[in-house]
Short mmCIF file of all heavy atoms in Angstrom, two decimals:
data_model
loop_
_atom_site.label_atom_id
_atom_site.label_comp_id
_atom_site.label_asym_id
_atom_site.label_seq_id
_atom_site.Cartn_x
_atom_site.Cartn_y
_atom_site.Cartn_z
N GLN A 840 -29.80 3.51 -0.88
CA GLN A 840 -30.43 3.38 -2.19
C GLN A 840 -29.63 2.44 -3.09
O GLN A 840 -30.20 1.65 -3.85
CB GLN A 840 -30.56 4.76 -2.85
CG GLN A 840 -31.30 4.75 -4.18
CD GLN A 840 -32.71 4.21 -4.06
OE1 GLN A 840 -33.46 4.61 -3.17
NE2 GLN A 840 -33.09 3.29 -4.95
N PHE A 841 -28.29 2.55 -3.01
CA PHE A 841 -27.43 1.66 -3.80
C PHE A 841 -27.73 0.20 -3.49
O PHE A 841 -27.94 -0.62 -4.40
CB PHE A 841 -25.96 1.97 -3.51
CG PHE A 841 -24.99 1.00 -4.15
CD1 PHE A 841 -24.46 1.25 -5.41
CD2 PHE A 841 -24.60 -0.18 -3.50
CE1 PHE A 841 -23.57 0.36 -6.00
CE2 PHE A 841 -23.72 -1.07 -4.08
CZ PHE A 841 -23.20 -0.80 -5.34
N TRP A 842 -27.76 -0.15 -2.20
CA TRP A 842 -27.96 -1.54 -1.83
C TRP A 842 -29.40 -2.00 -2.04
O TRP A 842 -29.65 -3.17 -2.32
CB TRP A 842 -27.52 -1.77 -0.38
CG TRP A 842 -26.04 -1.76 -0.27
CD1 TRP A 842 -25.25 -0.82 0.31
CD2 TRP A 842 -25.15 -2.74 -0.81
NE1 TRP A 842 -23.92 -1.14 0.17
CE2 TRP A 842 -23.83 -2.31 -0.51
CE3 TRP A 842 -25.32 -3.92 -1.53
CZ2 TRP A 842 -22.71 -3.04 -0.91
CZ3 TRP A 842 -24.21 -4.64 -1.91
CH2 TRP A 842 -22.93 -4.20 -1.60
N GLN A 843 -30.34 -1.08 -1.92
CA GLN A 843 -31.71 -1.45 -2.22
C GLN A 843 -31.85 -1.85 -3.68
O GLN A 843 -32.45 -2.88 -4.01
CB GLN A 843 -32.64 -0.28 -1.90
CG GLN A 843 -34.11 -0.55 -2.22
CD GLN A 843 -35.00 0.58 -1.78
OE1 GLN A 843 -34.85 1.11 -0.69
NE2 GLN A 843 -35.94 0.98 -2.63
N ASP A 844 -31.27 -1.04 -4.57
CA ASP A 844 -31.31 -1.35 -5.99
C ASP A 844 -30.55 -2.64 -6.29
O ASP A 844 -31.01 -3.47 -7.09
CB ASP A 844 -30.72 -0.19 -6.79
CG ASP A 844 -30.73 -0.45 -8.29
OD1 ASP A 844 -31.81 -0.50 -8.89
OD2 ASP A 844 -29.63 -0.64 -8.86
N TYR A 845 -29.39 -2.81 -5.64
CA TYR A 845 -28.58 -4.01 -5.89
C TYR A 845 -29.33 -5.27 -5.47
O TYR A 845 -29.39 -6.26 -6.22
CB TYR A 845 -27.27 -3.90 -5.14
CG TYR A 845 -26.33 -5.07 -5.36
CD1 TYR A 845 -25.52 -5.13 -6.48
CD2 TYR A 845 -26.28 -6.13 -4.45
CE1 TYR A 845 -24.67 -6.20 -6.69
CE2 TYR A 845 -25.43 -7.20 -4.65
CZ TYR A 845 -24.63 -7.24 -5.77
OH TYR A 845 -23.80 -8.31 -5.98
N LEU A 846 -29.91 -5.26 -4.27
CA LEU A 846 -30.58 -6.46 -3.75
C LEU A 846 -31.86 -6.78 -4.51
O LEU A 846 -32.27 -7.94 -4.59
CB LEU A 846 -30.87 -6.29 -2.25
CG LEU A 846 -29.61 -6.28 -1.36
CD1 LEU A 846 -29.97 -5.89 0.07
CD2 LEU A 846 -28.93 -7.64 -1.38
N GLU A 847 -32.50 -5.75 -5.08
CA GLU A 847 -33.69 -6.01 -5.90
C GLU A 847 -33.36 -6.87 -7.12
O GLU A 847 -34.22 -7.58 -7.64
CB GLU A 847 -34.29 -4.68 -6.36
CG GLU A 847 -35.09 -3.96 -5.29
CD GLU A 847 -35.64 -2.63 -5.77
OE1 GLU A 847 -35.37 -2.27 -6.95
OE2 GLU A 847 -36.33 -1.96 -5.00
N HIS A 848 -32.11 -6.80 -7.59
CA HIS A 848 -31.70 -7.56 -8.77
C HIS A 848 -30.81 -8.74 -8.39
O HIS A 848 -30.12 -9.30 -9.25
CB HIS A 848 -30.95 -6.64 -9.74
CG HIS A 848 -31.78 -5.51 -10.26
ND1 HIS A 848 -31.88 -4.31 -9.60
CD2 HIS A 848 -32.56 -5.40 -11.37
CE1 HIS A 848 -32.68 -3.50 -10.28
NE2 HIS A 848 -33.10 -4.13 -11.35
N PHE A 849 -30.82 -9.11 -7.11
CA PHE A 849 -29.91 -10.15 -6.62
C PHE A 849 -30.64 -11.45 -6.30
O PHE A 849 -30.01 -12.45 -5.96
CB PHE A 849 -29.20 -9.63 -5.36
CG PHE A 849 -27.99 -10.42 -4.95
CD1 PHE A 849 -26.87 -10.48 -5.76
CD2 PHE A 849 -27.97 -11.11 -3.75
CE1 PHE A 849 -25.75 -11.21 -5.38
CE2 PHE A 849 -26.85 -11.84 -3.36
CZ PHE A 849 -25.74 -11.88 -4.18
N HIS A 850 -31.95 -11.46 -6.43
CA HIS A 850 -32.72 -12.62 -5.95
C HIS A 850 -32.38 -13.90 -6.70
O HIS A 850 -32.41 -14.99 -6.13
CB HIS A 850 -34.22 -12.34 -6.06
CG HIS A 850 -34.68 -12.09 -7.46
ND1 HIS A 850 -34.57 -10.86 -8.08
CD2 HIS A 850 -35.24 -12.91 -8.39
CE1 HIS A 850 -35.04 -10.93 -9.31
NE2 HIS A 850 -35.45 -12.16 -9.53
N TYR A 851 -32.02 -13.78 -7.98
CA TYR A 851 -31.80 -14.99 -8.79
C TYR A 851 -30.51 -15.70 -8.40
O TYR A 851 -30.29 -16.85 -8.81
CB TYR A 851 -31.78 -14.64 -10.28
CG TYR A 851 -31.94 -15.85 -11.17
CD1 TYR A 851 -33.19 -16.41 -11.38
CD2 TYR A 851 -30.84 -16.44 -11.79
CE1 TYR A 851 -33.35 -17.53 -12.19
CE2 TYR A 851 -30.98 -17.55 -12.60
CZ TYR A 851 -32.24 -18.10 -12.79
OH TYR A 851 -32.39 -19.21 -13.58
N ILE A 852 -29.66 -15.05 -7.59
CA ILE A 852 -28.39 -15.66 -7.21
C ILE A 852 -28.60 -16.99 -6.50
O ILE A 852 -27.73 -17.87 -6.54
CB ILE A 852 -27.59 -14.69 -6.30
CG1 ILE A 852 -26.14 -15.17 -6.13
CG2 ILE A 852 -28.25 -14.55 -4.94
CD1 ILE A 852 -25.30 -15.06 -7.36
N ALA A 853 -29.76 -17.17 -5.87
CA ALA A 853 -30.04 -18.42 -5.16
C ALA A 853 -30.08 -19.61 -6.10
O ALA A 853 -29.98 -20.76 -5.66
CB ALA A 853 -31.36 -18.31 -4.39
N ASN A 854 -30.23 -19.38 -7.41
CA ASN A 854 -30.25 -20.46 -8.39
C ASN A 854 -28.88 -20.75 -8.99
O ASN A 854 -28.76 -21.60 -9.87
CB ASN A 854 -31.22 -20.12 -9.52
CG ASN A 854 -32.65 -19.96 -9.03
OD1 ASN A 854 -33.20 -20.87 -8.44
ND2 ASN A 854 -33.22 -18.79 -9.24
N VAL A 855 -27.86 -20.06 -8.53
CA VAL A 855 -26.51 -20.22 -9.07
C VAL A 855 -25.75 -21.22 -8.20
O VAL A 855 -25.68 -21.06 -6.97
CB VAL A 855 -25.77 -18.87 -9.12
CG1 VAL A 855 -24.32 -19.06 -9.54
CG2 VAL A 855 -26.50 -17.92 -10.08
N SER A 856 -25.21 -22.23 -8.82
CA SER A 856 -24.56 -23.32 -8.08
C SER A 856 -23.43 -22.83 -7.19
O SER A 856 -23.31 -23.27 -6.04
CB SER A 856 -24.02 -24.36 -9.08
OG SER A 856 -23.27 -25.36 -8.42
N ASP A 857 -22.60 -21.91 -7.68
CA ASP A 857 -21.48 -21.44 -6.86
C ASP A 857 -21.97 -20.73 -5.60
O ASP A 857 -21.35 -20.86 -4.53
CB ASP A 857 -20.60 -20.48 -7.68
CG ASP A 857 -19.72 -21.22 -8.68
OD1 ASP A 857 -19.20 -22.29 -8.34
OD2 ASP A 857 -19.58 -20.73 -9.82
#
Side-chain angles (χ1 to χ4, degrees):
Q840 184 59 47
F841 173 92
W842 286 110
Q843 178 175 316
D844 180 68
Y845 182 83
L846 291 171
E847 283 179 358
H848 299 87
F849 195 65
H850 61 278
Y851 196 79
I852 192 69
N854 298 302
V855 174
S856 174
D857 284 320

